[in-house]
Amino acid sequence: MTTSETISHDELQSWLLDRIAFYLDRPPENIDPSVELARYGVDSVYAISIISDIEDHLQVEVDVAEARRRETVTDLTDYLLQLLA
């Protein structure tokens, strides 16, 4: 993906759910985007890996501290879309 391409909220959220599901070894449909990621066991190690994936996928630099403040997939998706705008 390049930054010149546009990505919808749903597309980005679906991609994030897939990546998080991969790290948690669970089906993405079992992750509610409105539930705090910490409740699923996403710790700092997972978070850094996910943020690295985001940067590679979106070709954008993500402020780790800022991204970690986003507690749900929905919140994180909104933050990333702001970065891409």
Side-chain angles (χ1 to χ4, degrees):
M1 165 156 298
T2 65
T3 52
S4 62
E5 293 178 50
T6 57
I7 185 167
S8 73
H9 186 278
D10 289 346
E11 289 170 327
L12 182 54
Q13 184 165 283
S14 177
W15 180 85
L16 277 172
L17 287 170
D18 285 343
R19 295 311 304 151
I20 293 164
F22 168 80
Y23 286 107
L24 297 178
D25 195 25
R26 65 170 37 178
E29 57 272 10
N30 289 355
I31 300 172
D32 183 334
S34 66
V35 171
E36 290 179 13
L37 290 167
R39 289 191 47 199
Y40 290 111
V42 174
D43 61 16
S44 59
V45 174
Y46 285 138
I48 296 301
S49 297
I50 292 163
I51 290 168
S52 177
D53 289 350
I54 290 166
E55 290 179 332
D56 289 345
H57 183 67
L58 298 178
Q59 299 296 298
V60 65
E61 189 173 326
V62 176
D63 180 322
V64 174
E66 195 62 39
R68 294 284 322 265
R69 285 190 198 91
R70 301 331 198 255
E71 296 182 344
T72 68
V73 173
T74 300
D75 290 343
L76 183 56
T77 302
D78 292 341
Y79 167 67
L80 295 173
L81 288 172
Q82 289 173 5
L83 284 181
L84 294 172

